Structure formats: C-alpha cells, structure tokens
Amino acid sequence: MTILPVGQSEIPDSSGYAHLKDDWAQGKLHPAPLTREDVDKIFTGENKDDYFAEYIATGDINKDNYSDVIVGAPGYDSFRGRFYIFYGGPDMDEKFDKILDGEIGHVGWFGRVLASGDINKDGYADLAITANHMYQQRGRVYLYYGGPDMDETPDKIFDGENALDLFGKSLALGKDVNSDSYGDLLIGSWDYPGNLDRGRAYLYYGGPRASMSDIAACIFDGESLNDRFGNEVAVGDINGDGFAEVVVGAWGYNDAQGRAYLFYGPFENKNDITLNWDTTNASIGKHTLKVEIPPVPGEQNTENNIKTVTIEVKEPRR
C-alpha cells in the first residue's frame, strides 16, 4: 500500500487531499489524479473564503466509541470563524452535526487551531479552539466539554496578556503533566510580548468542571526576542515516569536556525505572592493575618496552602 500525492483533482474547488491506492507492482510514491471514486467522504465548506479545513482534528466527543471529525473554517463570516463537528459512525454522513461559532462582531479567526482530549476525566473528548486575532490579536482560547449532546457555549475561556501576542497560536490538550489523572492544556503565544516575538507558553492543569482554573499553573518563556517560542507545542510522557513532558518549538531562534525545548514534568509554579496591608488606621497591638490559597485540581498535599503571619502595630514615636 502506498500513499499517492495529490495530482489534478476532479473534485470542484478541492485541494489538499491525499489517498491510498494499491501499488504492489512499482512499490513507490508517484502522482495520481484524485477522483470522486477515490474518496469515501467529502466535507465541503459553506462559502468561498471560509478557509474550511485549514485545521482538522478527531476525537470521540459523544463517547459512542466512534471518533468524530472536527473541521475549522476561520474565514467564515469575514473571519469571525466557525467550527463544524461531524459525528463518526458505521456509515457517517457528510452533513455537520454541531456548529461552534466565533464571537459576534469580532474578527477573531475562530477555528484557526484546535486540540482535542479529555481534560475533566469524564470519558468524553473535550475541545480547545483558538481565536488568536481576538482583541487586537491578543488572542483567546475556548474550552468546550464534550458530552452526549455537546453544549455550543464555551465552558472556559483563556485570554492572552497583551495585544499582538497571538495567544493560542498552538495548542496541546489531554496529556497529564502533573500525574493527577486529569488531562492538561498547553497554549503557545509566539508573539509575546506584544509582537516582539520572544514567545511564551502557558500550562493549565485540568480537573473537574467546577474547579479547573483559567489561570496558568506554569509559564515557559523563550530565550530571546524574535525566537517565536511557542509556535508549536506538544505534550507526552517521554521518559515513562508517569508525568507528561512539555516540548515547545521556537523556529525563529538564531535567525530562523530554530530550536525545540524539552521540559521534564512535573513542574512547580514559583511565582512570589506579595501582600500589601495599609496600616494607617490599624489599632495598636498585634494582628494576625491569614492567607489561604485554594488547591489546584488534583493537589494532594495542601498543608502549605494556609499561612498565618503576626504583625505588631506600635505607638508612633513622639
């Protein structure tokens, strides 16, 4: 069995197809025209300039043991963007079953990038979808939980930090980085900060629907400006220790020589927390301050999540 590159297509307005064909005699790759008979199913966009099928993924969204086909059309409605879901089955049809639309009135390029995987451990594939041109290309990522009848309203929203960051340029979803049995989400922002192209990647830990945070648990930064760190991201357990590793690409490194970075999990968030207390009107004496940090999904040891500090306010000197 050999894979034949696409030649001249007989299917109107089609491009980017590949198909399989027996070729035992020659046993090599060669061009061949693509005909309607060569293809089992064809999914076609609604309008010209929709960019339908710029991004494609599969995943079992409704947990019927058949993978579903998810197709993005970021150009739909003047680049508002749209995603189409086609449920798989023994004899699936070519009509979409679900539509996910970008936000009304925004040129967001919704549907530019997609990742699928189970992030809340319910057995349904979830979807993370990018609209990286939202809010002056600050970028936004939408998380949709899969289910028997998937809701068309996003369940979680993640936003970039600055205009021109292109947050959501790349996505990886479903692999477990912190070994809590929940899939996690990794988002690349290759133009961070603000089109200076150093790049940044954000890791969000998965968990039950109600408790997953939209604040990044860990942040990975590029080395230099113009590296475009985060142009691609991937997650997987490379060394077999039960923790998925993070891999981030930076094709702009050293005048486009390029570099890829591997980070072994698990990771710690070492961000400092600063507390400011205005003691102008505080009463004289000792005061106990208590700080409590909510546990992240799957966190087992919460002993250090609560801290108390005693501060003494003294009489002013005369």
Side-chain angles (χ1 to χ4, degrees), residues 41 43 67-69 86-95 97:
K41 299 289 179 183
F43 310 97
S67 289
D68 309 310
V69 178
F86 303 84
Y87 287 141
D91 188 26
M92 71 181 294
D93 58 33
E94 296 166 359
K95 186 181 185 308
D97 296 283

Side-chain angles (χ1 to χ4, degrees), residues 1-2 44 52 83 115 170 172 175 222 251 275 280 304:
M1 186 75 71
T2 58
T44 305
F52 180 85
F83 249 100
S170 55
K175 300 295 185 180
W251 67 255
L275 302 176
T280 304
N304 295 321

Side-chain angles (χ1 to χ4, degrees), residues 68 78 145 151 180 192 240 246 251 260:
D68 309 310
S78 300
Y145 291 122
D151 190 348
D180 63 353
Y192 173 88
V246 165
W251 67 255

Side-chain angles (χ1 to χ4, degrees), residues 183-194:
D184 303 315
L185 173 63
L186 183 65
I187 302 176
S189 181
W190 71 338
D191 277 359
Y192 173 88

Side-chain angles (χ1 to χ4, degrees), residues 2 8 19 58 60 71 95 100 102 117 119 170 173 186 188 213 215 228 234 256 264 268 284 288 293 296:
T2 58
Q8 297 297 315
H19 61 95
T58 60
D60 188 1
V71 183
K95 186 181 185 308
L100 306 177
I119 200 168
S170 55
L173 174 66
L186 183 65
S213 176
I215 299 174
R228 294 203 161 183
Y264 287 116
E268 293 183 7
I284 305 303
T288 300
I293 302 174
V296 300

Side-chain angles (χ1 to χ4, degrees), residues 13-317:
D13 299 324
S14 67
S15 63
Y17 287 95
H19 61 95
L20 298 178
K21 181 178 178 182
D22 286 316
D23 188 24
W24 299 109
Q26 297 189 28
K28 61 182 180 180
L29 291 171
H30 64 83
L34 179 66
T35 66
R36 183 63 181 87
E37 289 72 26
D38 293 318
V39 184
D40 296 298
K41 299 289 179 183
I42 294 178
F43 310 97
T44 305
E46 296 182 73
N47 316 289
K48 290 185 177 180
D49 298 321
D50 275 4
Y51 293 84
F52 180 85
E54 180 171 343
Y55 208 95
I56 297 174
T58 60
D60 188 1
I61 295 170
N62 56 349
K63 203 168 69 170
D64 61 355
N65 296 320
Y66 296 101
S67 289
D68 309 310
V69 178
I70 309 104
V71 183
Y76 175 82
D77 191 19
S78 300
F79 293 97
R80 173 189 174 192
R82 171 171 276 188
F83 249 100
Y84 304 80
I85 299 174
F86 303 84
Y87 287 141
D91 188 26
M92 71 181 294
D93 58 33
E94 296 166 359
K95 186 181 185 308
F96 59 81
D97 296 283
K98 287 281 184 183
I99 288 178
L100 306 177
D101 279 327
E103 295 186 48
I104 297 174
H106 290 278
V107 181
W109 290 67
F110 178 82
R112 194 76 186 272
V113 183
L114 162 74
S116 66
D118 187 2
I119 200 168
N120 60 341
K121 203 173 64 172
D122 63 356
Y124 296 94
D126 308 310
L127 300 179
I129 300 177
T130 282
N132 61 7
H133 279 61
M134 287 288 290
Y135 303 116
Q136 298 179 315
Q137 300 181 31
R138 176 184 179 184
R140 172 169 277 189
V141 174
Y142 307 81
L143 177 64
Y144 298 82
Y145 291 122
D149 186 20
M150 181 179 177
D151 190 348
E152 294 160 14
T153 301
D155 296 284
K156 299 281 184 183
I157 293 178
F158 308 87
D159 283 319
E161 296 183 66
N162 315 289
L164 303 178
D165 275 4
L166 287 179
F167 176 82
K169 170 60 179 65
S170 55
L171 299 171
L173 174 66
K175 300 295 185 180
D176 186 5
V177 174
N178 57 343
S179 194
D180 63 353
S181 74
Y182 290 97
D184 303 315
L185 173 63
L186 183 65
I187 302 176
S189 181
W190 71 338
D191 277 359
Y192 173 88
N195 204 34
L196 294 179
D197 298 346
R198 177 184 180 186
R200 173 170 276 190
Y202 304 78
L203 177 62
Y204 302 84
Y205 290 142
R209 290 190 181 211
S211 60
M212 181 180 175
S213 176
D214 58 1
I215 299 174
C218 296
I219 292 176
F220 307 85
D221 280 325
E223 291 185 73
S224 309
L225 300 183
N226 300 314
D227 279 2
R228 294 203 161 183
F229 179 88
N231 69 276
E232 291 293 345
V233 296
V235 179
D237 187 1
I238 292 174
N239 58 354
D241 63 353
F243 297 95
E245 277 68 59
V246 165
V247 184
V248 183
W251 67 255
Y253 171 80
N254 193 27
D255 293 329
Q257 178 184 1
R259 178 168 275 186
Y261 302 81
L262 170 63
F263 303 89
Y264 287 116
F267 305 102
E268 293 183 7
N269 189 341
K270 298 181 180 179
N271 293 336
D272 293 328
I273 298 175
T274 301
L275 302 176
N276 296 309
W277 181 38
D278 184 1
T279 60
T280 304
N281 297 314
S283 58
I284 305 303
K286 293 184 178 181
H287 300 265
T288 300
L289 304 182
K290 179 180 177 181
V291 179
E292 183 173 357
I293 302 174
V296 300
E299 185 175 1
Q300 301 296 323
N301 184 3
T302 59
E303 293 179 1
N304 295 321
N305 288 33
I306 300 175
K307 294 290 185 182
T308 58
V309 178
T310 300
I311 297 177
E312 184 176 2
V313 179
K314 297 182 179 180
E315 290 273 6
R317 292 183 180 180

